[in-house]
Amino acid sequence: MVKHIILWKLKTENNTPEVKKGIKDGLESLLGVIDGLVEIKVYTDGLPSSNADVMLYSVFESEEALKAYAVHPKHVEVADTKVRPFTAERSCLDFVE
């Protein structure tokens, strides 16, 4: 299995419950839509010690499935409308477990 973890820092003016809910709902709606996506969860309520605002945890069947997800039209639509306009910084870690 391939794990795909992303941490985002939101733009200050976009760090609202509504924006976080849009990111969470949009990304989590991709489960069952994209082949090879096994699990997807978005966390928006970090502890005060956190230095990121939103975390994506997702699991894919293979590296090829992750690559297909990256360019899948439904994922691109969510990323372009619910995520990218509101984020200032992005960090990613992909690994096999």
Side-chain angles (χ1 to χ4, degrees):
M1 293 291 178
V2 173
K3 306 286 176 90
H4 174 63
I5 312 295
I6 298 181
L7 296 171
W8 288 285
K9 185 81 174 156
L10 297 175
K11 296 175 185 173
T12 303
E13 67 273 15
N14 296 126
N15 195 348
T16 67
E18 295 80 19
V19 168
K20 289 178 178 180
K21 182 175 181 351
I23 293 170
K24 179 176 178 62
D25 292 349
L27 288 169
E28 290 181 356
S29 75
L30 298 174
L31 188 63
V33 174
I34 299 177
D35 291 339
L37 175 59
V38 175
E39 183 180 352
I40 189 164
K41 179 75 177 155
V42 175
Y43 297 89
T44 60
D45 295 321
L47 297 174
S49 57
S50 300
N51 63 4
D53 300 310
V54 178
M55 183 186 105
L56 167 68
Y57 171 84
S58 51
V59 180
F60 294 85
E61 292 177 351
S62 64
E63 191 173 347
E64 292 74 24
L66 173 59
K67 289 177 183 177
Y69 163 84
V71 296
H72 191 284
K74 292 288 186 186
H75 170 254
V76 171
E77 178 184 352
V78 170
D80 286 347
T81 61
K82 305 281 186 186
V83 181
R84 290 185 185 115
F86 305 106
T87 56
E89 297 176 29
R90 176 188 181 273
S91 295
C92 176
L93 178 66
D94 299 325
F95 60 96
V96 175
E97 186 174 65

